[in-house]
Structures are given as C-alpha cells and as structure tokens.
Amino acid sequence: MIEVKEWIFERERMVKEQIIARGIKDNRVIEAMKKVPRHLFVDKTYYHQAYNDYPLPIGHDQTISQPYMVAAMTEILELKGNEKVLEIGTGSGYQTAILALLCSKVYSIDRISELTRKARLKVDNLGFKNINLIVGDGSLGWPDYAPYTGILVTAGAPEIPNTLIEQLDENGRLVIPVGNEFSQILNLVKKHKGRIYRKEFFGCTFVPLIGKSGWHK
Ligand code: SAH
C-alpha cells in the first residue's frame, strides 16, 4: 500500500484513544489501523469526521463501521500473514484494506455494485494487489476460492449460514454478528479437526445481511 501522510495525526490519535485504550493488543492490527487512510474511504464532506469514534454513512443506507469495531473483528481472526480471507460486505472497502495488510489474499463481496465500484477505485489507487472484489450475495459465501482461513461478515445475520461454515478451512475462523435487525452479538466459529466451536463476544449493531442465507427483502 502506498503511504498517505494526510490526517496522520488524527489517525495516530484514533489508534491511541479508541483502539489501544480499549484493549486491542495485536500489534499487526494496531499498525494496520495506523497506516490505512480511513478518510479516503468516505466522501470528502466527512473527511474531518473520518477518525472519530463512530460509523459514517457511505450511501445506499450503508455505513463504514466504527474504527474500534474494525480492529476488534480483525483481531479475533488472529491473522498471521499467509491466510486467504473472505469478507462479506465490502461497503467502503476500509475493512478490506485493513485485512489486505494482514493476510496474503482478500476476497470481498458486496450486493451493491455502486459500492463495489467505488471500493475498487480506492484500493486500486492505494496500490493494493491482493484484493479481489465482486458483486453478489455474500450470504452464500464465494465457493470458487473456498476454503478460507478466515471469513469476516460485516453485516448482521439472523443465524450463522451453513454455507459459510462449509467454506471454512480446517483451523479456520469465521467472525459474524448474529441477532435481529437492530442488534447482534459478535460470534466466532472455529473449525478444528472437523468439529465446530462457537464463542460469543460483545454486542454490536450492523446493517442487515440481506440475501438467501440472511434477511429476505
Ligand atoms: N466493512 C464495511 C461495512 C459496510 S456495511 C465498511 O466498513 O465499510 C455492510 C455491507 O454489507 C453493505 O455495504 C451491504 O451492501 C453489504 N451486504 C449486506 N448484505 C449482503 C450480502 N448478502 N452480500 C454481500 N454484501 C452484503
């Protein structure tokens, strides 16, 4: 990724006050959050709010997640650097960029083509070479490149889709918010020796995952 110096002071402060202060410990995640220029993933009118402690609108009733949420979900994936990761809900592409700095290849899906188009422009301009974006129903995963070491869903699901568990590699980790359309609990699903383990983390609020294995609209 090319280095972006603009808003660097705000970015460092965001990491110190929102990410480290709240207990994120994975140094690789912390460094990635310091590097990726979050302001470039929102419209110019939001640049001055881009490093604040909340989600922001990205159009089409969707949002770029709160910085802390991005860091926390990424930390739970425990990426070491050589993984293949699937993200469902590209949105702005910000989380995609964070993942791309931490693993070898990211596949990311969104159902809204306009968001995918904009996200592609952004990650291309930043020089990313390990990001693959498509438009489609991510609640069904992306079977073509399965299995994945990590799967991250950035929209709220009514339940954990079996299709996603199937696309998880041995020792793979799936992170997904599960609940109703207004609030969810962040879940981790692990696959180990063919067995499935589930752990619940904290409460969160995501826009709904809309699709065959999500909410029907
Ligand atoms: N990680 C993104 C979050 C965007 S909000 C960011 O921080 O910018 C969630 C996104 O999930 C939206 O862009 C929405 O269009 C997308 N989404 C919802 N249901 C989906 C589905 N079934 N498949 C793919 N994307 C979906």
Side-chain angles (χ1 to χ4, degrees):
M1 191 195 83
I2 62 159
E3 196 183 351
V4 177
K5 290 257 196 313
E6 285 79 29
W7 298 90
I8 192 156
F9 174 78
E10 287 76 8
R11 200 147 60 240
E12 296 264 341
R13 197 182 57 186
M14 170 193 87
V15 170
K16 189 165 158 251
E17 293 177 359
Q18 301 171 36
I19 309 300
I20 298 172
R22 288 206 186 102
I24 298 296
K25 298 220 158 43
D26 187 331
N27 256 319
R28 297 180 70 241
V29 174
I30 291 168
E31 287 309 308
M33 299 289 295
K34 280 185 190 165
K35 280 191 197 126
V36 178
R38 192 170 191 265
H39 65 281
L40 295 182
F41 292 86
V42 295
D43 281 351
K44 274 210 173 68
T45 46
Y46 289 113
Y47 273 15
H48 64 292
Q49 294 185 66
Y51 297 96
N52 292 353
D53 196 12
Y54 43 76
L56 286 168
I58 54 171
H60 305 269
D61 288 332
Q62 308 301 321
T63 53
I64 175 173
S65 301
Q66 177 198 24
Y68 170 72
M69 193 54 71
V70 172
M73 290 192 297
T74 308
E75 187 172 63
I76 294 169
L77 283 175
E78 293 186 358
L79 300 172
K80 301 285 180 273
N82 53 6
E83 299 86 353
K84 188 162 71 170
V85 174
L86 173 67
E87 178 193 28
I88 292 145
T90 315
S92 64
Y94 174 69
Q95 169 82 72
T96 322
I98 296 284
L99 292 171
L101 288 182
L102 298 171
C103 69
S104 65
K105 188 108 193 153
V106 184
Y107 298 90
S108 183
I109 314 183
D110 207 287
R111 54 186 283 275
I112 300 173
S113 57
E114 171 72 6
L115 292 177
T116 301
R117 192 185 60 77
K118 280 171 127 180
R120 186 173 287 130
L121 260 176
K122 285 164 188 180
V123 297
D124 284 354
N125 283 340
L126 284 169
F128 283 99
K129 302 277 183 254
N130 60 340
I131 294 175
N132 217 324
L133 303 179
I134 58 157
V135 180
D137 180 5
S139 72
L140 304 173
W142 191 344
D144 297 14
Y145 298 97
Y148 303 94
T149 332
I151 301 179
L152 176 56
V153 183
T154 66
E159 55 190 18
I160 301 168
N162 263 326
T163 38
L164 296 186
I165 297 177
E166 280 161 16
Q167 290 174 35
L168 207 54
D169 207 353
E170 168 65 17
N171 289 322
R173 297 164 82 83
L174 159 67
V175 175
I176 178 168
V178 183
N180 60 39
E181 282 181 82
F182 309 103
S183 77
Q184 305 89 30
I185 292 175
L186 199 67
N187 276 250
L188 165 68
V189 178
K190 285 196 286 185
K191 204 181 248 187
H192 183 65
K193 295 193 172 150
R195 280 175 152 245
I196 305 300
Y197 300 85
R198 192 170 71 89
K199 182 176 169 186
E200 290 189 344
F201 285 81
F202 40 82
C204 50
T205 301
F206 282 84
V207 296
L209 178 77
I210 296 167
K212 278 219 174 78
S213 291
W215 298 98
H216 304 296
K217 281 257 163 71

